[in-house]
Amino acid sequence: MSASLVRTTVRAVSKRKLQPTQAALTLTPSAVNKIKQLLKDKPEHVGLKVGVRTRGCNGLSYSLEYTKTKGDSDEEVIQDGVRVFIEKKAQLTLLGTEMDYVEDKLSSEFVFNNPNIKGTCGCGESFHV
């Protein structure tokens, strides 16, 4: 029986700076407050789950659901005591996105400010990455 030998070397690098990784999703204070308010009445749920669905004129739309557990392939974002889980299918499309909560006289909604989107359709429900 022959065995091959692979040689490796480990070196310490002293002048290298670690670069912080970008959060998959950041929440505005308004979004954090609204999520806390929504979850206050649902003690059995631990957070919100963000996903993407095929929808709209020709793209994808975000979906939000209450969740009781973290899925095996979900990415967890914890910010200011709020937990948001991102489904595997949505992780790349949400990278670097800011989640906000906006209220005005006629509507209230979560808004995703995504720097990766190249365009949206007229219905407001889909995006193109």
Side-chain angles (χ1 to χ4, degrees):
M1 182 171 166
S2 69
S4 62
L5 179 64
V6 177
R7 188 173 166 188
T8 62
T9 304
V10 177
R11 293 187 179 135
V13 179
S14 61
K15 297 190 184 226
R16 187 179 207 179
K17 290 185 180 181
L18 294 176
Q19 297 293 323
T21 58
Q22 184 176 21
L25 180 71
T26 57
L27 308 172
T28 64
S30 178
V32 169
N33 291 335
K34 185 61 178 180
I35 293 170
K36 285 180 179 179
Q37 180 185 359
L38 291 170
L39 292 173
K40 183 173 68 170
D41 299 333
K42 300 188 178 334
E44 69 278 8
H45 293 91
V46 296
L48 292 182
K49 184 175 285 199
V50 181
V52 291
R53 305 287 179 259
T54 304
R55 193 170 162 183
C57 300
N58 56 1
L60 301 170
S61 68
Y62 297 120
S63 65
L64 285 172
E65 307 174 30
Y66 295 104
T67 186
K68 294 180 181 180
T69 60
K70 177 184 184 287
D72 291 337
S73 59
D74 292 347
E75 181 162 338
E76 183 176 8
V77 175
I78 301 173
Q79 184 178 324
D80 300 323
V82 169
R83 296 171 72 188
V84 176
F85 303 95
I86 304 170
E87 291 179 353
K88 184 175 184 170
K89 184 178 173 183
Q91 290 172 8
L92 286 177
T93 60
L94 282 171
L95 189 62
T97 298
E98 176 190 70
M99 182 177 168
D100 193 9
Y101 182 76
V102 179
E103 276 187 283
D104 60 28
K105 291 180 182 180
L106 299 176
S107 67
S108 60
E109 63 185 344
F110 284 101
V111 175
F112 292 86
N113 299 310
N114 189 330
N116 304 312
I117 292 178
K118 294 178 182 167
T120 59
C121 69
C123 71
E125 288 191 3
S126 64
F127 59 88
H128 312 282
V129 178

